[in-house]
């Protein structure tokens, strides 16, 4: 796994391009050089509030 790493802030901005600005997932994914699946996963994760994400991360770390 030698792909480029993106910060949470970068991922949030990419998600906003899709959810708020109306760009297609495939367009943003191609521009960033990530897969459609990765972009879809980012949307699933980063379209939630930060509080919700932290609670989910905490629950997953307990498992």
């Amino acid at each position: 796994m030698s792909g480029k790493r993106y910060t949470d802030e970068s991922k949030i901005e990419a998600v906003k391009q899709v959810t708020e600005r109306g760009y297609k997932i495939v367009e943003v994914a191609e521009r960033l050089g990530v897969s459609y699946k990765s972009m879809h996963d980012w949307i699933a994760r980063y379209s939630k509030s930060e509080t919700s994400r932290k609670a989910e991360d905490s629950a997953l770390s307990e498992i």
Side-chain angles (χ1 to χ4, degrees):
M1 196 163 93
S2 61
K4 183 176 179 183
R5 295 286 181 164
Y6 291 90
T7 64
D8 285 347
E9 292 81 16
S10 297
K11 293 175 184 178
I12 291 167
E13 181 57 35
V15 169
K16 285 181 181 179
Q17 290 181 31
V18 174
T19 60
E20 296 177 8
R21 298 185 194 118
Y23 289 96
K24 294 181 181 180
I25 295 173
V26 69
E27 291 174 355
V28 177
E30 286 177 357
R31 192 166 0 102
L32 295 176
V34 299
S35 69
Y36 178 89
K37 168 85 168 87
S38 292
M39 193 67 221
H40 188 272
D41 291 347
W42 293 358
I43 291 169
R45 177 171 170 78
Y46 293 101
S47 60
K48 300 175 186 173
S49 70
E50 184 175 352
T51 305
S52 178
R53 283 194 314 269
K54 287 183 179 184
E56 188 176 286
D57 289 347
S58 178
L60 288 174
S61 70
E62 291 178 12
I63 296 178

